Structure formats: C-alpha cells, structure tokens
Amino acid sequence: MMTSDKLRAMLALYLVTDERTDCDALLHIIRKALEGGVTTVQLRRKHDDGRQLVELGKAIRQMTTEFGALYIVNDRVDIAMLTDADGVHVGQSDIACADVRGLIGKRIIGVSTCTLAEATAADREGADYLGVGSVFPTSSKPDADMCEIQGLAGIARQVDIPVVGIGGITRQNAPEVMQAGAAGIAVVSAIMQAEDPSRASAELLRLVRTGR
Amino acid sequence: MMTSDKLRAMLALYLVTDERTDCDALLHIIRKALEGGVTTVQLRRKHDDGRQLVELGKAIRQMTTEFGALYIVNDRVDIAMLTDADGVHVGQSDIACADVRGLIGKRIIGVSTCTLAEATAADREGADYLGVGSVFPTSSKPDADMCEIQGLAGIARQVDIPVVGIGGITRQNAPEVMQAGAAGIAVVSAIMQAEDPSRASAELLRLVRTGR
Ligand code: NI
C-alpha cells in the first residue's frame, strides 16, 4: 500500500473511460492520455460484459504500468482482481466499502460521495480517497447529483483522505477545483472527447500542479 | 466440492430469478418455490447495482441453506464471494471459466452453452455443469440463440458433466427435456409467474424425477 502523500500525488489527473463501443479507439485515447501525463485511469463501463471488461482491463493494466500510472476498476471487484488493478472505485449503490475491503485487502478503495455525510461515512468505513461531485453539470452523467464547489471545499476541509473533484471539469474551471482543496481532478469528456487527448491531458496536469 | 452424482441431483429443478423491481415479492416467490421443491436458485439480475445484489444474495443464501438447496450467482464473481454462494454461472460473454476458477477455487461453475462446440469447450475448461438452451422459444429472453431438443440431446450424449435444459420449459414440455438426457430443468417464468409458485415447483419436480 502506498503512503497517503504518494496516493495524493497519483490522483492528480484521473481519467475515467467513456462508453464508446469502439474499444480500440478507447485504448488508443488512453495511451495518448498517459503520454500527456494522466496519473490514474479508471475502467468504468456499465454496459460491457465480463469478458470484454477483462480484456480492456488487461490492456489498461499494461499501459498504466508502462507509464507508472494507477489503474482502478469501477464497481466490479471481480474484474479488478482478475486484471490486477491497483484499486476499486465504488458508488453509493455499489458494493459497500467494508465488503470491498474484505475482497481486495490492501488495494486502494475510492468512493463516490456527494454530501459531507456520505464523505465522512466513507472515510470512517476505510476509503482511501473520495471522488466528489458532480462539481459542475456534466453531459456524460446528466442525472448526477450536484455538490458544487462549496460542497467539495467543505468535504476537503473535513476529511483527511485525498479528494478528487469530478463532473464537468474543464481547463476553464480546473483551477477553481484545486483551490477548493482537491488533490486532483477526474474527467471523462475533457480528455476522451478532446481533439488531441495527449495535449489536453498535459494542459490539465499543468493546471492541477499549478493549482495545488 | 460435491460429487458429480450429488451435483446432478441438486440440479433437478433450477430456478433463475426474474428482473422484477419488487425485491420483497421476488424473495417471497423464491421461498414458495423452495417449499415446493426447487433444488437450485440462481441470482440473475442484470440491472441491479452491487449493493442490491449483495442484499438479495444474502437473503437467498439464507433461504437455500434452510431448504438444503444450491445458491448460484450469475456473472458477478464478486457478489458470489461476498454472499457465500455455492457457485457462479457464466455465459459465453462473461468472465471466462478458467478466470472464474482462479477466483472461486472449488465452488461450482456453470456455463451457458448453445452449440456442441461451446459445450465441449466449457467441459474442457473445467465447468461443473452446463446450462443448455434455449431449448424452446422464451419470453424472458426473446433474443436468445436456439439449440432445440436435438441440440440438447447431442450435448448430453457428448459431455460427462450434468446438463440443465433452459429456455421456455413448461409442465407440458419438461418430459421431453428429461428424455433428451438432461439432469434437470432451469426455469424463470414457469415458477416466477405461476399463480402458485410452490405448487408449480412441486409439479415440475415430479415431472423431472419421473423423466429421469
Ligand atoms: Ni443496462
């Protein structure tokens, strides 16, 4: 298990995959993003079957290892175990944090939270970091609950574990998220839909490092 | 791990859950079905989140233990591990049999197959039983590939592990399935939508035992 400071640094620029059907294109963008400086990649695919997830996960494991980045799996602890992920990320309706811990031992557990109550509960239950959002409205998850910048700032002040802002984060508003006390930013569209994912990643990483 | 004969007996009447949103009603029907003689219950819910699956799985684990029935989880190996399932059932696009084995050790693995090639491959890869279908057209999975009675009979002749027929099985056609060499029958609607799930189960079990 890495130290909290090391984990905090590794959460600087956190890429979450989108749901595109073309998996070759997906992996190509992830490689470009890693070249640009992405520090963590989360495999999040709600509609893929297990075999597809294992295949994607193994490819992402290989690339993230090559670039010294973290590889996290959303929701599916079995896929995380099979593809040797660094950790698992769960939402409020996924497997409970304590149950995940029982399966994955010392690997990283991230928990999505929106309110301070959810955040302190996740911290108490042994989460290693929090994904907090949506900070801004987002097209990739239009029905997501909003916590806004003030909510993120409140959570970052109250919990000791690193907090990653997520939801509608762009080059324009990334500095605000960092000023609110985030350890890093998580994005989907800002990289996955960028014309140049490598350059977009490099620019976002620069803003994160400047904003700390 | 149980003997193959014991497993064969336990697969006689295999209930697969439906996708109804009312989980109390679901559990109520499962209890009635177990009272009627169901020997295996598979938790199969494609649209439930992890936390819901864990809750349902724990309830089914408790009931199946009470009635001496098997409890199998579809697709999600993590949920199977967390709820102490007797085994996991995977389809052709789910986690591969060998990968499942690596996670669950000696627990039971079932594999859905439609063709003889799929069936012999699953047998070779270490499956403990096969779910073979669809034997008949089915409303609960209208897009399922068909293997028909002849396909099931061919597979039952060629593989040594127990074969369970699935897909559109009713009181009327259950004897045909048993005559084709099945160890048992798997049903959704025939029990889940029965007016009296307990009586429907008892009648199906009688047909299976007569047909062996
Ligand atoms: Ni869906």
Side-chain angles (χ1 to χ4, degrees):
Chain A
M1 184 53 196
M2 57 184 60
T3 64
S4 185
D5 277 359
K6 167 80 173 157
L7 177 58
R8 195 172 290 269
M10 293 299 289
L11 294 171
L13 184 54
Y14 188 124
L15 173 63
V16 180
T17 60
D18 64 13
E19 301 273 357
R20 73 183 61 213
T21 50
D22 183 345
C23 290
D24 287 339
L26 183 84
L27 293 173
H28 181 75
I29 294 172
I30 293 171
R31 174 169 287 280
K32 290 290 165 197
L34 287 163
E35 286 171 5
V38 156
T39 54
T40 295
V41 177
Q42 181 191 121
L43 174 62
R44 180 184 186 279
R45 304 267 296 175
K46 291 284 180 190
H47 288 91
D48 278 357
D49 286 327
R51 204 162 297 202
Q52 176 75 73
L53 288 171
V54 169
E55 200 180 307
L56 282 172
K58 284 181 176 170
I60 295 172
R61 170 69 294 172
Q62 202 165 3
M63 283 194 283
T64 48
T65 299
E66 188 184 328
F67 286 91
L70 293 180
Y71 157 53
I72 306 282
V73 174
N74 186 70
D75 174 32
R76 295 275 310 238
V77 182
D78 46 3
I79 304 296
M81 294 167 82
L82 280 173
T83 59
D84 194 27
D86 295 305
V88 171
H89 188 93
V90 287
Q92 295 292 318
S93 63
D94 294 331
I95 297 175
C97 194
D99 283 341
V100 176
R101 184 64 74 202
L103 290 176
I104 68 165
K106 292 187 171 192
R107 295 183 215 219
I108 298 160
I109 302 179
V111 178
S112 293
T113 63
C114 188
T115 65
L116 184 58
E118 285 174 359
T120 52
D123 186 9
R124 204 171 45 234
E125 288 158 19
D128 296 300
Y129 76 90
L130 302 178
V132 176
S134 279
V135 185
F136 305 106
T138 166
S139 58
S140 53
K141 223 177 170 180
D143 58 342
D145 289 336
M146 296 294 300
C147 79
E148 313 206 344
I149 281 284
Q150 298 91 321
L152 172 72
I155 291 170
R157 267 196 307 273
Q158 296 285 328
V159 301
D160 288 327
I161 55 178
V163 163
V164 177
I166 187 165
I169 298 175
T170 62
R171 266 197 293 168
Q172 285 68 43
N173 59 32
E176 259 187 275
V177 179
M178 298 309 296
Q179 279 153 31
I185 57 171
V187 300
V188 184
S189 316
I191 291 175
M192 295 302 299
Q193 287 178 26
E195 252 185 76
D196 183 339
S198 182
R199 199 173 126 193
S201 301
E203 288 176 348
L204 287 166
L205 186 62
R206 184 181 59 77
L207 290 166
V208 167
R209 295 214 162 130
T210 312
R212 263 182 174 160
Chain B
M1 182 54 197
M2 57 184 62
T3 63
S4 185
D5 277 357
K6 166 82 172 157
L7 177 59
R8 194 173 290 270
M10 293 298 290
L11 295 170
L13 182 56
Y14 187 124
L15 173 64
V16 180
T17 61
D18 63 13
E19 301 274 357
R20 73 184 60 214
T21 50
D22 183 343
C23 290
D24 287 339
L26 184 85
L27 293 173
H28 181 75
I29 294 173
I30 293 171
R31 174 168 288 279
K32 290 289 166 198
L34 287 163
E35 287 172 2
V38 156
T39 54
T40 295
V41 177
Q42 181 191 122
L43 174 62
R44 180 184 186 278
R45 305 266 297 175
K46 292 284 180 190
H47 288 90
D48 278 357
D49 286 326
R51 204 162 296 202
Q52 176 75 74
L53 288 172
V54 169
E55 200 180 306
L56 282 172
K58 284 181 175 170
I60 296 172
R61 170 71 291 173
Q62 202 166 2
M63 283 193 284
T64 48
T65 299
E66 188 183 329
F67 287 91
L70 292 180
Y71 158 51
I72 305 282
V73 174
N74 187 70
D75 175 32
R76 295 275 310 239
V77 182
D78 46 3
I79 304 296
M81 294 168 81
L82 280 173
T83 59
D84 193 26
D86 296 303
V88 171
H89 189 92
V90 287
Q92 295 292 317
S93 64
D94 294 331
I95 298 175
C97 194
D99 284 341
V100 176
R101 183 64 73 201
L103 291 177
I104 68 164
K106 294 188 170 191
R107 294 183 217 219
I108 298 161
I109 302 178
V111 178
S112 293
T113 63
C114 188
T115 65
L116 184 58
E118 285 175 359
T120 52
D123 185 9
R124 205 171 45 235
E125 287 159 20
D128 296 300
Y129 76 89
L130 302 178
V132 176
S134 281
V135 184
F136 305 106
T138 165
S139 58
S140 53
K141 224 175 169 182
D143 58 342
D145 289 336
M146 296 294 300
C147 79
E148 313 208 343
I149 279 285
Q150 298 89 324
L152 172 71
I155 291 171
R157 267 195 307 272
Q158 296 285 328
V159 301
D160 288 327
I161 55 177
V163 164
V164 177
I166 187 165
I169 298 176
T170 62
R171 264 196 293 167
Q172 284 68 44
N173 59 32
E176 260 188 275
V177 179
M178 298 310 296
Q179 279 152 32
I185 58 171
V187 300
V188 184
S189 315
I191 291 175
M192 296 301 299
Q193 287 178 27
E195 252 185 76
D196 183 339
S198 182
R199 198 173 127 192
S201 301
E203 288 177 347
L204 287 166
L205 186 62
R206 184 181 59 76
L207 291 166
V208 166
R209 296 215 162 130
T210 312
R212 265 184 171 156

